[in-house]
């Protein structure tokens, strides 16, 4: 479901998993507490942008198109609870950071910075959020042993925004490009 012009308050650039990866990550998320994300909402954020104007969107569409190139399979690393296991806010599947993904992140940050938008100061850690927990939510037991994170392929690069209230999805694509 495409987002509309009024839905640009929480925007981010992300990779969308291919269908097989999405299904495997959704199955992994199904083993987590009921706060798991819907399969359609699974993504790997490259850059969080916050609020955007229609002009930003147009400029990003033109600037990101050349970056839509094939990436290698990302090796799964671990299932992690962030920011800390005792009081998690999210459960994530973490992945390797091969050189082509590192270049994509650096190129994207350069575009974002060049548009005068903020760039995250923390080091980039490739991950897909599988579940979000409410503040104070008691943490149920996680599966033991912790499940292995499958290798992942990503098939799209796009600009996303929080979906409008009442939507069945959490996020909506403003645009996306297939990775060549």
């Amino acid at each position: 479901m495409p987002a509309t012009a009024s839905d640009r308050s929480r925007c981010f650039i992300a990779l969308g998993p291919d269908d097989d990866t999405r299904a495997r990550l959704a199955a992994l998320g199904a083993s987590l507490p009921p706060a798991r994300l819907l399969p359609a909402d699974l993504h790997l954020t490259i850059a969080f942008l916050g609020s955007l104007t229609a002009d930003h969107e147009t400029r990003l569409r033109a600037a990101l198109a050349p970056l839509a190139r094939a990436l290698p399979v990302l090796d799964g690393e671990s299932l992690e609870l962030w920011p800390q296991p005792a009081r998690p806010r999210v459960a994530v599947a973490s992945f390797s950071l091969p050189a082509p993904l590192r270049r994509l992140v650096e190129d994207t940050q350069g575009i974002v910075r060049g548009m005068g938008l903020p760039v995250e100061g923390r080091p980039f850690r490739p991950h897909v959020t599988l579940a979000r927990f409410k503040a104070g939510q008691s943490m149920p037991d996680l599966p033991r042993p912790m499940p292995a994170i499958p290798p992942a392929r990503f098939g799209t690069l796009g600009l996303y925004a929080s979906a409008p209230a009442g939507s069945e999805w959490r996020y909506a694509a403003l645009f996306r490009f297939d990775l060549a």
Side-chain angles (χ1 to χ4, degrees):
M1 175 178 91
T4 63
S6 62
D7 300 326
R8 291 187 182 91
S9 62
R10 292 189 43 82
C11 296
F12 57 93
I13 298 166
L15 296 170
D18 69 7
D19 291 340
D20 184 53
T21 296
R22 186 177 304 281
R24 287 184 284 125
L25 289 172
L28 181 59
S31 68
L32 298 171
R36 66 186 172 268
L37 296 179
L38 294 172
D41 287 329
L42 299 175
H43 64 276
L44 191 153
T45 300
I46 298 295
F48 180 76
L49 306 172
S51 294
L52 295 180
T53 65
D55 180 59
H56 285 131
E57 179 184 340
T58 300
R59 292 170 54 204
L60 282 168
R61 182 185 301 263
L64 292 176
L67 300 185
R69 54 189 178 258
L71 290 172
V73 172
L74 302 185
D75 293 328
E77 292 190 343
S78 60
L79 177 64
E80 301 174 16
L81 298 174
W82 289 359
Q84 55 190 343
R87 300 180 84 160
R89 289 185 29 227
V90 294
V92 304
S94 66
F95 294 95
S96 62
L97 181 55
L101 177 57
R102 184 183 317 273
R103 278 192 302 277
L104 174 62
V105 170
E106 290 167 354
D107 291 347
T108 301
Q109 288 175 344
I111 289 166
V112 168
R113 200 175 281 112
M115 292 177 64
L117 296 168
V119 173
E120 177 71 44
R122 294 178 290 187
F124 177 73
R125 294 174 61 190
H127 68 280
V128 172
T129 300
L130 302 174
R132 293 189 176 284
F133 308 111
K134 293 182 174 137
Q137 178 179 347
S138 61
M139 189 62 211
D141 292 332
L142 291 177
R144 296 285 180 211
M146 291 291 258
I149 303 302
R153 288 188 187 280
F154 293 86
T156 61
L157 172 68
L159 178 65
Y160 296 81
S162 293
S167 173
E168 68 180 282
W169 297 284
R170 186 177 189 99
Y171 309 110
L174 295 170
F175 64 80
R176 1 171 213 241
F177 301 106
D178 289 334
L179 299 181

